[in-house]
């Protein structure tokens, strides 16, 4: 696929050191003009001089070495940042947690294998909420990532580092993971594009589990086209993940600037209490933009949305309590000075290694699965999950996509909500139902409020990424929100 | 089914012993572990040499079901007369233990692959039906190796994950067993069936591990964990019956608890009481999708081999051998295969006697398998015996020589001169013996029958044991 720089970007000076979002096509051009090594070196410089704390680990020598040896592929020499919960061989992978400090995976995640085959260069591990639990990237043991649009604000979470590094123009591409909105929320807060694909489309092999029945790896880029290119590379069957679905598709074919006849559903429950007027206005404007391009819209009801948040947290925490049991400091990760009998040693390591939010979720999840409470919480949550799934099936029966705000409000201030977990959980109200249902959903910029980006969420049917991408691409081609970038110091 | 079998099994005495077993069988005849591609052929290799991110439970690794393991489990289920589920699903059993790398074990819970079966065993009072509650699949944890061999005394413990992720089938019986001996017979029968199905090499260390539940009338149930042998199970249960009986007789109460069998001391010791019982927080393993196995059963049923009971019946009807011989010959598949190769070529009854009574005895004495003996050799031996060319005594001598030193019946007979003596030699020897021993002959004639034995013995000595003793006796009587 020929990657032509679009007008908005190409108006910028031909240098690779612009104060703007960088695209894959610009990067490939720069590689052609100089070399992969030089381009990677420039990205590393930006990351090393960055004030956003988006990248928590850089392996400079290895990245330059890989750039020198790059040998073709659609992303030959293109730098990419990887969320720190995706296993990278020889590169410390910590999930933003002290308990995994020093853990160097002896194997690559499936997506990493694919990226390496495609010639991409991994330049760093991106900051994240500890074990992907959070909406602000403030719970990382490496400290918070700052939002490049406004450094007093959070970048969103949990893939805050991945979205912020792209927004800051440090790398053109990044991978995140989305359990309840963890790709879309930071994409929304940082004004970039992020996709939560249909459950089963991208192999989770090598993704360190938080809530395995909900999470998917998701691509992040500064525009729909780049994001699709990345998605296209990493989607597809992997026999090492039993939930991975067979078959491959070429998603770049969905990049068509046309929504004639498209039927849009607008779920009114997604504009609930707490939705900021600027957000509501921007999203409706987006609907009308698409309408003006030939789409039609109607309001749809999704009656179980109000129970989705509670069900999501019960399921996610239950799964987390089990998934995080393996972190005991015995074979890898944190080790304390003195050993006692094994259960005391486990307890001490886990007490010292996990942060507050992680401990909270492990405890709540353990409680929810305990004898006597399982029916009341976990099994009930599974029932709600089925109802939420049915909401989507019904709503998407006679509509092609659903459109809603990604987040009810733009990025909030650092420290503003971290001390109040319940308020923080409420921010996920529009993203978690999508994970419960397993359907695809993209977030892309659709407006600004006081200089902070607003995210538009486009949700589709299971395995119908094409329609979601086509809708997003058409919107993007006819607007210029994606060309705006923060003033990067 | 339950009522019927309970009717079959009244309590034997007022102590009301009830025993249920949980047997963990390693499906070690598979090529790989249950959720990864690691090999199972680790017994002669160093620790942690057959491991990968999946069976080590490394962060980010995911399980993928070994479909052959599912097939084997269904095979066992069918052999145990179980019904196969429509859908089967895996669960997580959450608990902390150093040998469990993920902090949970992937096992089955609500939807075990097979359930509601039964097998017949030789009970204390005839054949009895033992119900199988279920047989479910799970992964084996790693193995703890305590320095110095004992958990109490060791300063440190190694963990070997070679075993981690080996497919296990946990077979759970109803509490239908009534004595330690029955429990042992059940285990032997089960091992026999598994061997016939060729799903497990039960001779390998740790391939069959038993937990036994036992209660007496008026008491609670105690569970004795991790017994590694069938003999151990019998001993542990015998100890438990005495312990619980004494406890009840003294007016104490038997508490519900988990106990450990100390093989060396032959006693069970308390591990934990009910108050500390685990809450395993079972919930579905979302990394493995539910498996529809309804259609697998009929296909697998076609591949089911003839099982021990059927084979025993067939041996009796085809070869007209005794039930005891048939039982002995079918209790080990290799022995049954051996016998079948021989039975078609020589007198099957004689072959049964020589295989079951003589050869098996000699093999057991030396603690070696039937592989150590060639079918060709037993065919020769039985032929010679049928044709009256060698004596029984020589036959036994030939078997022992083969097992001790090697060789074949032919060359042993030649080397040792074991062919039965010809008529003239015997007649001459008889005449010599009579003339050389006038006193014993006179004694016999004077009413001392045992004196004849001495003369017979002299003849045997002269013929180097090749004469038929019965014939010698007759010849002497004719001449005196």
């Amino acid at each position: 696929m020929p990657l032509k720089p679009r007008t908005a970007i190409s108006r910028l000076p031909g240098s690779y050191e612009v104060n703007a979002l960088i695209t894959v096509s610009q990067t490939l051009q720069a590689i052609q003009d100089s070399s992969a090594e030089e381009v990677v070196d420039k990205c590393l410089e930006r990351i090393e001089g960055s004030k956003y704390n988006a990248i928590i680990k850089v392996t400079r020598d290895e990245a330059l070495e890989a750039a020198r040896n790059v040998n073709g592929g659609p992303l030959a020499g293109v730098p990419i940042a990887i969320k720190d919960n995706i296993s990278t061989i020889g590169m410390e992978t910590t999930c933003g947690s002290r308990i995994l400090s020093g853990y160097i995976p002896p194997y690559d995640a499936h997506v990493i294998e694919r990226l390496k085959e495609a010639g991409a260069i991994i330049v760093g591990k991106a900051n994240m909420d500890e074990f992907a639990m959070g909406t602000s990237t403030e719970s990382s043991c490496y400290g918070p990532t700052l939002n490049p649009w406004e450094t007093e604000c959070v970048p969103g979470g949990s893939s805050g580092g991945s979205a912020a590094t792209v927004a800051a123009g440090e790398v053109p591409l990044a991978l995140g993971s989305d359990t309840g909105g963890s790709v879309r929320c930071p994409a929304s807060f940082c004004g970039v594009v992020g996709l939560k694909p249909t459950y089963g489309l991208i192999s989770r092999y090598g993704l360190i589990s938080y809530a395995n029945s909900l999470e998917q790896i998701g691509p992040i880029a500064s525009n729909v086209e780049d994001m699709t290119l990345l998605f296209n590379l990493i989607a597809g069957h992997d026999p090492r993940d039993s939930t991975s679905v067979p078959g491959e598709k070429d998603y770049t074919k969905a990049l068509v600037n046309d929504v004639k006849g498209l039927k849009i559903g607008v779920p009114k429950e997604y504009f609930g209490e707490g939705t900021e007027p600027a957000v509501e206005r921007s999203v409706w404007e987006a609907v009308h933009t698409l309408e003006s391009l030939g789409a039609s819209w109607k309001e749809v009801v999704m009656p179980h949305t109000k129970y989705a948040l509670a069900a999501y947290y019960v399921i996610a925490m239950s799964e987390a309590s089990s998934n995080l049991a393996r972190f005991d400091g015995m074979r890898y990760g944190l080790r304390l000075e003195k050993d006692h009998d094994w259960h005391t040693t486990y307890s001490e390591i886990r007490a010292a290694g996990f942060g507050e939010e992680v401990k909270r979720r492990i405890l709540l999840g353990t409680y929810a699965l305990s004898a006597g409470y399982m029916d009341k919480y976990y099994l009930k949550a599974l029932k709600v999950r089925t109802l939420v799934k049915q909401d989507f099936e019904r709503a998407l029966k006679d509509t092609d996509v659903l459109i809603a705000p990604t987040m009810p409000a733009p990025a909030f201030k650092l420290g503003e909500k971290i001390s109040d977990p319940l308020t923080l959980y409420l921010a996920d109200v529009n993203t978690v139902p999508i994970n419960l249902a397993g359907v695809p959903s993209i977030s892309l910029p659709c407006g600004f409020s006081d200089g902070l980006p607003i995210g538009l969420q486009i949700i589709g049917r299971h395995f119908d990424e094409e329609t979601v991408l086509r809708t997003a691409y058409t919107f993007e081609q006819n607007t210029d929100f994606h060309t705006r970038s923060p003033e990067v110091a | 089914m339950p009522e019927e079998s309970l009717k079959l099994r009244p309590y034997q005495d007022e102590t009301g012993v009830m025993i249920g077993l949980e047997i963990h069988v390693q499906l070690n005849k598979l090529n790989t572990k249950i959720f990864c591609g690691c090999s199972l052929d680790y017994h002669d290799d160093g620790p942690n040499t057959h491991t990968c991110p999946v069976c080590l439970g490394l962060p980010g690794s995911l399980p993928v079901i070994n479909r052959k393991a599912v097939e084997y489990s269904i095979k066992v289920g069918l052999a145990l007369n179980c019904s196969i589920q429509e859908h089967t699903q895996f669960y997580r059993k959450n608990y902390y233990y150093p040998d469990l790398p993920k902090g949970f074990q992937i096992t089955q819970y609500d939807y075990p692959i097979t359930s509601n079966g039964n097998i017949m065993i030789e009970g204390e009072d005839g054949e009895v039906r033992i119900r199988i509650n279920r047989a479910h699949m799970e992964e084996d944890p790693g193995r703890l190796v305590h320095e110095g061999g004992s958990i109490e005394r060791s300063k440190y413990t190694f963990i070997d994950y070679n075993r981690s992720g080996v497919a296990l089938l946990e077979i759970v019986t109803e509490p239908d067993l009534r004595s330690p001996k029955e429990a042992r017979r059940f285990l032997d029968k089960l091992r026999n069936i598994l061997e016939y199905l060729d799903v497990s090499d039960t001779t390998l260390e740790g391939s069959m591990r038993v937990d036994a539940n036992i209660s007496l009338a008026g008491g609670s149930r105690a569970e004795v964990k991790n017994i590694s042998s069938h003999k151990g199970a019998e001993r542990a249960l015998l100890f438990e019956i005495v312990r619980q009986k004494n406890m009840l007789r003294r007016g104490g109460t038997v508490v519900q608890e988990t106990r450990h069998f100390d093989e060396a001391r032959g006693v069970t010791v308390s591990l934990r009481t009910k108050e500390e019982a685990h809450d395993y927080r079972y919930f579905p393993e979302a990394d493995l999708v539910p498996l529809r196995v309804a259609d697998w059963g009929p296909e697998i049923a076609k591949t089911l081999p003839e099982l021990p009971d059927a084979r025993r019946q067939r041996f009796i009807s085809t070869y007209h051998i005794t039930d005891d011989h048939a039982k002995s010959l079918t209790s080990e598949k290799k022995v049954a295969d051996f016998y079948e190769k021989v039975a078609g070529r020589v007198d099957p009854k004689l072959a049964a006697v020589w295989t079951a009574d003589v050869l098996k005895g000699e093999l057991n004495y030396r603690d070696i398998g039937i592989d150590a003996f060639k079918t060709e050799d037993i065919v020769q031996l039985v032929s010679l015996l049928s044709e009256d060319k060698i004596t029984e005594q020589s036959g036994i001598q030939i078997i022992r020589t083969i097992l001790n030193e090697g060789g074949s019946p032919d060359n042993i007979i030649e080397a040792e001169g074991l062919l039965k003596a010809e008529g003239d030699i015997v007649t001459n020897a008889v005449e010599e013996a009579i003339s050389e021993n006038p006193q014993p002959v006179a004694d016999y004639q004077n009413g001392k029958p045992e004196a004849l034995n001495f003369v017979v013995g002299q003849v045997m000595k002269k013929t180097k044991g090749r004469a038929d003793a019965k014939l010698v006796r007759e010849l002497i009587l004719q001449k005196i």
Side-chain angles (χ1 to χ4, degrees):
Chain A
M1 189 191 62
L3 285 164
K4 274 197 233 114
R6 281 186 307 280
T7 34
I9 303 269
S10 59
R11 256 192 272 114
L12 298 161
S15 158
Y16 195 62
E17 291 181 73
V18 292
N19 182 21
L21 298 166
I22 54 174
T23 67
V24 170
S25 55
Q26 283 175 319
T27 308
L28 288 171
Q29 185 63 50
I31 290 167
Q32 213 168 40
D33 293 348
S34 53
S35 71
E37 198 181 346
E38 264 180 61
V39 166
V40 168
D41 186 49
K42 266 186 191 138
C43 281
L44 290 168
E45 265 173 38
R46 279 191 210 122
I47 289 166
E48 282 155 358
S50 171
K51 60 178 178 184
Y52 307 116
N53 195 29
I55 302 296
I56 50 178
K57 215 152 305 138
V58 174
T59 41
R60 169 172 267 278
D61 296 346
E62 288 82 348
L64 290 175
E65 166 91 16
R68 264 196 299 281
N69 297 328
V70 78
N71 190 19
L75 291 182
V78 177
I80 185 166
I82 307 294
K83 189 175 183 180
D84 201 34
N85 60 354
I86 298 171
S87 304
T88 42
I89 195 165
M91 202 171 177
E92 193 181 7
T93 300
T94 67
C95 293
S97 180
R98 221 161 94 71
I99 206 157
L100 269 174
S101 52
Y103 170 61
I104 296 172
Y107 74 106
D108 269 334
H110 176 255
V111 291
I112 301 298
E113 289 174 353
R114 289 222 172 176
L115 286 175
K116 286 182 175 172
E117 274 165 39
I121 310 294
I122 295 159
V123 289
K125 300 305 281 284
N127 203 7
M128 58 184 284
D129 278 303
E130 185 179 2
F131 281 105
M133 297 173 183
T135 310
S136 63
T137 313
E138 288 168 284
S139 71
S140 166
C141 74
Y142 296 93
T145 293
L146 312 181
N147 191 322
W149 291 88
E150 167 58 69
T151 52
E152 281 176 21
C153 287
V154 302
S158 64
S159 313
S162 303
T165 192
V166 171
E170 293 167 359
V171 287
L173 298 171
L175 284 186
S177 70
D178 191 313
T179 314
S182 283
V183 160
R184 290 159 290 153
C185 163
S188 171
F189 282 6
C190 293
V192 295
V193 182
L195 173 73
K196 198 296 281 185
T198 304
Y199 189 78
L201 263 192
I202 296 179
S203 169
R204 288 180 291 113
Y205 189 78
L207 170 68
I208 301 177
S209 291
Y210 149 36
N212 48 316
S213 83
L214 298 160
E215 65 207 4
Q216 275 287 281
I217 290 171
I220 295 172
S222 65
N223 61 76
V224 175
E225 189 177 297
D226 288 356
M227 197 280 305
T228 304
L229 188 68
L230 176 55
F231 173 56
N232 210 37
L233 280 171
I234 57 174
H237 184 59
D238 174 17
R240 293 168 301 183
D241 177 353
S242 308
T243 62
S244 161
V245 293
E248 304 255 341
K249 277 189 200 169
D250 181 2
Y251 294 98
T252 58
K253 285 184 180 153
L255 298 174
V256 177
N257 183 355
D258 179 17
V259 289
K260 276 184 212 73
L262 184 86
K263 288 184 224 126
I264 298 167
V266 184
K268 63 171 200 243
E269 292 83 358
Y270 285 65
F271 296 82
E273 206 185 321
T275 310
E276 223 175 71
V279 170
E280 190 164 357
R281 204 166 41 243
S282 295
V283 171
W284 274 111
E285 266 169 30
V287 172
H288 296 314
T289 302
L290 290 165
E291 194 184 12
S292 72
L293 295 165
S296 62
W297 66 269
K298 67 168 190 172
E299 247 181 16
V300 294
V301 289
M302 306 192 69
H304 299 98
T305 305
K306 57 179 176 249
Y307 307 114
L309 201 66
Y312 166 80
Y313 277 103
V314 168
I315 292 170
M317 290 175 188
S318 297
E319 290 181 5
S321 72
S322 171
N323 286 325
L324 270 55
R326 74 188 66 194
F327 303 108
D328 53 29
M330 287 295 118
R331 286 148 296 145
Y332 46 81
L334 184 71
R335 198 62 189 252
L336 299 178
E337 295 239 320
K338 193 162 162 28
D339 283 345
H340 306 276
D341 58 89
W342 67 265
H343 28 82
T344 313
T345 305
Y346 279 24
S347 299
E348 287 179 352
I349 287 172
R350 288 168 68 82
F354 287 134
E356 196 186 344
E357 182 60 24
V358 173
K359 283 179 193 158
R360 179 181 297 119
R361 294 196 192 194
I362 290 173
L363 288 174
L364 286 169
T366 303
Y367 180 80
L369 285 176
S370 298
Y373 298 100
M374 177 134 180
D375 292 7
K376 209 167 153 190
Y377 299 111
Y378 181 75
L379 294 179
K380 182 142 280 171
L382 288 187
K383 283 177 191 155
V384 172
R385 183 175 192 168
T386 304
L387 294 173
V388 169
K389 211 179 271 180
Q390 287 166 356
D391 270 2
F392 280 96
E393 278 159 17
R394 249 192 317 271
L396 284 161
K397 212 167 182 172
D398 50 4
T399 64
D400 298 308
V401 292
L402 304 176
I403 285 187
T406 308
M407 302 302 289
F412 46 86
K413 293 249 159 47
L414 281 157
E416 186 184 323
K417 296 190 178 176
I418 190 76
S419 56
D420 184 0
L422 279 181
T423 318
L424 203 54
Y425 297 170
L426 284 175
D428 298 339
V429 66
N430 284 357
T431 50
V432 298
I434 284 89
N435 297 75
L436 287 175
V439 294
S441 167
I442 195 171
S443 178
L444 68 166
C446 72
F448 288 86
S449 168
D450 289 335
L452 287 171
I454 292 168
L456 175 72
Q457 188 172 210
I458 306 171
I459 305 150
R461 299 188 193 102
H462 282 110
F463 304 110
D464 189 17
E465 265 75 0
E466 281 103 326
T467 309
V468 173
L469 292 171
R470 177 161 59 91
T471 312
Y473 184 71
T474 305
F475 177 77
E476 193 183 78
Q477 290 299 298
N478 293 280
T479 54
D480 68 351
F481 302 108
H482 65 291
T483 63
R484 301 190 202 168
S485 57
E487 287 297 318
V488 180
Chain B
M1 171 66 72
E3 287 77 6
E4 176 202 330
S5 90
L6 281 179
K7 254 183 273 163
L8 257 166
R9 311 271 6 236
Y11 286 120
Q12 283 186 308
D13 56 35
E14 72 287 351
T15 55
V17 173
M18 280 168 70
I19 299 166
L21 300 176
E22 292 167 17
I23 306 108
H24 290 87
V25 177
Q26 280 191 337
L27 300 178
N28 54 22
K29 289 259 179 127
L30 293 163
N31 291 321
T32 57
K33 294 182 179 181
I34 186 167
F35 298 128
C36 66
C38 286
S39 83
L40 304 174
D41 190 18
Y42 59 79
H43 286 85
D44 297 326
D45 292 340
N48 299 306
T49 50
H50 293 250
T51 56
C52 73
V54 175
C55 58
L56 289 174
L58 288 189
S61 62
L62 296 170
V64 176
I65 185 75
N66 177 344
R67 295 178 79 84
K68 202 98 196 155
V70 182
E71 276 178 41
Y72 278 21
S73 303
I74 291 176
K75 216 166 160 180
V76 175
L78 292 170
L80 302 180
N81 303 304
C82 289
S83 48
I84 309 300
Q85 291 268 4
E86 186 101 350
H87 287 96
T88 195
Q89 194 175 348
F90 287 90
Y91 275 69
R92 289 185 181 180
K93 179 181 184 179
N94 295 281
Y95 66 97
Y96 288 101
Y97 205 73
D99 65 3
L100 195 63
K102 297 189 293 292
F104 59 82
Q105 181 188 29
I106 304 178
T107 178
Q108 298 194 307
Y109 184 60
D110 274 357
Y111 304 92
I113 184 148
T114 66
S115 56
N116 289 323
N118 63 81
I119 56 171
M120 304 297 289
I121 64 156
E122 196 66 31
E124 296 285 356
D125 38 5
E127 279 228 302
V128 287
R129 187 188 303 276
I130 305 301
R131 291 170 301 161
I132 312 288
N133 174 289
R134 64 198 292 188
H136 68 251
M137 304 175 70
E138 63 186 27
E139 58 178 340
D140 213 343
R143 202 168 67 89
L144 297 180
V145 184
H146 303 293
E147 183 264 339
S150 144
I151 195 165
E152 287 97 12
R153 282 179 301 239
S154 67
K155 286 201 280 296
Y156 53 88
T157 298
F158 292 121
I159 310 179
D160 179 3
Y161 292 102
N162 278 346
R163 205 177 78 177
S164 173
V166 171
L168 287 185
L169 197 63
E170 182 176 341
I171 298 162
V172 184
T173 77
E174 296 289 350
D176 288 351
L177 296 155
R178 294 289 176 263
S179 71
K181 190 166 277 164
E182 280 191 8
R184 182 162 181 185
R185 285 194 186 134
F186 176 87
L187 292 169
D188 288 342
K189 182 68 173 268
L190 180 63
R191 173 155 60 197
N192 195 205
I193 291 171
L194 293 168
E195 196 201 353
Y196 270 63
L197 294 173
D198 201 26
V199 295
S200 179
D201 179 352
T202 56
T203 63
L204 290 174
E205 187 253 318
S207 57
M208 223 174 146
R209 310 190 299 266
V210 181
D211 298 345
N213 284 293
I214 176 162
S215 68
L216 270 57
S220 288
R221 174 169 62 94
E223 184 180 23
V224 188
K225 282 251 183 215
N226 260 321
I227 312 168
S228 57
S229 70
H230 297 189
K231 197 172 142 200
E234 190 177 356
R235 283 170 63 213
L237 288 166
L238 277 169
F239 177 87
E240 264 303 294
I241 289 175
V242 174
R243 185 187 72 87
Q244 294 188 19
K245 240 187 221 167
N246 287 341
M247 183 79 86
L248 292 170
R249 199 168 39 217
R250 284 197 302 264
T253 46
V254 178
V255 293
Q256 187 170 334
E257 63 179 349
T258 301
R259 299 179 71 83
H260 164 74
F261 180 57
D262 184 332
E263 198 107 37
R265 290 190 288 157
V267 299
T268 70
V269 289
S270 181
L271 273 184
R272 54 179 180 263
T273 50
K274 201 184 174 235
E275 292 79 61
E276 299 162 47
H278 274 110
D279 176 2
Y280 290 117
R281 309 192 315 278
Y282 283 97
F283 78 110
E285 167 57 283
D287 288 336
L288 291 163
V289 291
L291 211 56
R292 196 186 137 77
V293 286
D295 311 331
W296 295 33
E299 283 304 309
I300 294 168
K302 285 183 207 156
T303 69
L304 223 53
E306 182 183 39
L307 293 169
D309 281 349
R311 197 167 200 185
R312 192 181 87 208
Q313 291 304 327
R314 186 168 57 80
F315 276 13
I316 294 169
S317 61
T318 309
Y319 303 119
H320 307 287
I321 59 176
T322 65
D323 190 45
D324 279 349
H325 279 150
K327 233 177 240 165
S328 163
L329 291 170
T330 53
S331 71
E332 228 182 295
K333 185 169 181 291
K334 278 183 187 164
V335 174
D337 291 345
F338 180 94
Y339 172 71
E340 282 226 87
K341 276 193 207 142
V342 175
R345 298 171 60 187
V346 291
D347 175 6
K349 283 192 204 169
L350 201 55
V353 173
W354 280 82
T355 309
D357 296 345
V358 185
L359 180 57
K360 262 187 84 175
E362 294 293 330
L363 293 170
N364 286 346
Y365 174 71
R366 289 168 178 78
D367 199 20
I368 50 176
I370 192 92
D371 305 341
F373 211 84
K374 292 199 206 71
T375 49
E376 198 50 50
D377 291 349
I378 200 90
V379 165
Q380 246 185 58
L381 200 67
V382 173
S383 304
L384 290 165
L385 286 159
S386 307
E387 291 160 16
D388 215 15
K389 292 225 174 105
I390 53 170
T391 60
E392 288 191 3
Q393 204 190 333
S394 302
I396 294 169
Q397 194 185 329
I398 290 165
I399 288 176
R400 286 181 181 161
T401 309
I402 291 175
L403 290 175
N404 293 343
E405 295 153 31
S408 69
D410 270 350
N411 53 42
I412 294 167
I413 286 168
E414 203 183 312
E416 312 269 328
L418 293 178
L419 269 192
K420 257 190 196 171
E422 294 298 321
D424 281 357
I425 299 168
V426 179
T427 319
N428 289 344
V430 166
E431 277 167 5
E432 273 178 43
I434 292 171
S435 62
E436 283 167 16
N437 298 288
Q439 191 54 48
V441 172
D443 286 349
Y444 175 76
Q445 284 162 334
N446 291 330
K448 273 192 181 167
E450 66 275 13
L452 192 61
N453 293 342
F454 179 78
V455 187
V456 173
Q458 291 303 304
V459 176
M460 297 306 283
K461 208 168 163 186
K462 285 173 190 291
T463 58
K464 292 181 184 146
R466 285 177 298 161
D468 181 340
K470 220 168 102 190
L471 184 74
V472 170
R473 202 180 181 87
E474 274 167 26
L475 285 173
I476 296 170
L477 287 175
Q478 279 169 25
K479 307 235 171 203
I480 57 176

